[in-house]
Amino acid sequence: MADGKLEKMTQDWSAAADTLLPETEKLAKAGKLSEAIEQLLVLEKQTRTSADLASNSRVLLQIIGLAYRAKDWKLLNENIVVLSKKRALLKQAITKMVQEAIKYVDEIKDMKIKLELIDTLRTVTDGKIFVEVERARLTRTLAKIKEAENKIGEAADLMQELQVETYGSMDKREKTDFILEQMRLCLGKKDYQRAQVIGRKISIKFFEDPANHDLKIRFYELMIQNAVHGDRHLETCKHYRQLYDTPSIRSDEKTGLETLKHVVLFIALSPFDNEQSDLIHRINEDANLSKIVLFKEFLKCFITSELMRWPKVEEIYGPALKASSVFDPATEGGQKRYKTLHKRVIEHNIRVIAKYYDRISIKRLTQLLDLSAAETEEFLSNLVVNKTIYARINRPAGIINFVSPKDPNTILNDWSQNINSLLELIVKTNHLITKEEMIHSIKKAL
């Protein structure tokens, strides 16, 4: 089976194995470990060349088992390396040997010995597809050890060596678990860009199965952590919505409402566009908002086309907002997001003013926004650049015009439409007059 092809067994060595294995056990207990392993190596060659998989597996396990029980760690490591390099090796037997050795890793308490065995096993499994899953599990164990030693960077680098998404022999749930661990360690070493790339390897459809909802919660918590760091508030809101829609979150009312609060706060922090506008209206329809009345009213302020005076917003909603982790004044991120909220309130006010005014003086606009002239101009310019509104400033006159100029074709089309409407009205009026005259003449004739 050296080339991956199944070979037919030419001789059954099970009887010889039944006889030799107890004898070698006795020899090992008598202190003749080397002699016992030499006898086993002879039988190992015979079983391997005869393609007797069952007997070969038993012999391999006996060899490493004797060394382990004798606590001869050097001999254990040497035999694992030697046995994995034999010609015409039986892959399934090697796999069983590696799996057994991994059990020893969990049982060994001495960290130095454990690391040597892990290093040996990772060396012999390197590049061998038939033990790729075992190598991945060993690497994860090593990464945990590095993390416990506060070597987050080394742990993350070890985990990134594994391209588990390509492993055909690994269960999909275990793959996802490995990828989530890679993401967590990347975030731990503050490699946010790589964490985002790794997150794209996971298919969202996998989380539709209720059995995988624990992984779904882990995934979105990591995605939220990454999005919050990058100030991607709309993404953060979507991730919280995915958590909120998870049955295990909704079943706990306290956790569900706390998650819904985060959904409301991050949609309010998101810059205005078509997607944000659509999402904020859908969030507003959630029945559970009635259980958190203050946050429902806060959300409604961003939907209603009315001005929001920032001093009033701070007075009504400030204490509740600052009590949440999103706007925690004790953290730098909380202070930054609170300033962002102030910007979103100003932008909302400018959109409302642009909706109701064709023209407005700069002086009056600064009064409505509670800002200086320079700040007003800056916010207005940003909205114009982002194509959220249309505005032109006439500096000498101190007037802002919110009506966009129409091109000649548009003006002509509007004029043509108006004329058509007018002619339709004239025809209709003429028809009604004629109808009245006919009715009147008939009545007169009677």
Side-chain angles (χ1 to χ4, degrees), residues 286-412:
D286 195 298
N288 286 328
L289 276 175
S290 58
K291 297 177 183 177
I292 43 174
V293 179
L294 192 68
F295 286 85
K296 183 177 182 178
E297 291 173 355
F298 176 70
L299 185 67
K300 193 176 178 182
C301 291
F302 286 91
I303 296 172
T304 311
S305 294
E306 294 179 2
L307 292 178
M308 298 165 61
R309 305 303 289 263
W310 179 246
K312 202 71 178 173
V313 171
E314 281 196 300
E315 181 186 335
I316 299 171
Y317 306 109
L321 294 176
K322 289 179 179 178
S324 72
S325 59
V326 180
F327 299 111
D328 185 359
T331 64
E332 188 179 341
Q335 294 172 11
K336 185 179 179 182
R337 283 186 286 275
Y338 198 68
K339 289 177 183 176
T340 303
L341 179 65
H342 187 193
K343 290 179 183 177
R344 297 293 174 257
V345 170
I346 294 168
E347 289 168 2
H348 167 81
N349 290 340
I350 293 174
R351 290 197 306 274
V352 171
I353 292 166
K355 182 177 180 181
Y356 290 113
Y357 283 82
D358 287 345
R359 296 171 57 184
I360 189 172
S361 67
I362 294 175
K363 184 179 179 181
R364 177 59 179 155
L365 184 61
T366 56
Q367 290 172 352
L368 292 173
L369 297 178
D370 299 315
L371 296 173
S372 66
E375 289 172 329
T376 300
E377 190 173 321
E378 183 183 348
F379 277 104
L380 193 64
S381 300
N382 288 335
L383 289 179
V384 171
V385 168
N386 295 330
K387 298 186 178 178
T388 305
I389 61 166
Y390 174 88
R392 287 292 180 269
I393 302 174
N394 184 339
R395 288 180 184 278
I399 298 292
I400 299 168
N401 187 0
F402 291 113
V403 179
S404 59
K406 296 178 180 179
D407 64 344
N409 288 331
T410 305
I411 295 170
L412 191 60

Side-chain angles (χ1 to χ4, degrees), residues 15 28 59 110 166 168 183 185-186 203 206 239 282 294 314 317 333 347 365 382 384 426:
V59 172
D110 189 301
T166 64
M183 285 179 67
L185 289 170
C186 280
S203 172
F206 174 73
H239 297 327
R282 282 190 278 130
L294 192 68
E314 281 196 300
Y317 306 109
E347 289 168 2
L365 184 61
N382 288 335
V384 171
I426 291 170

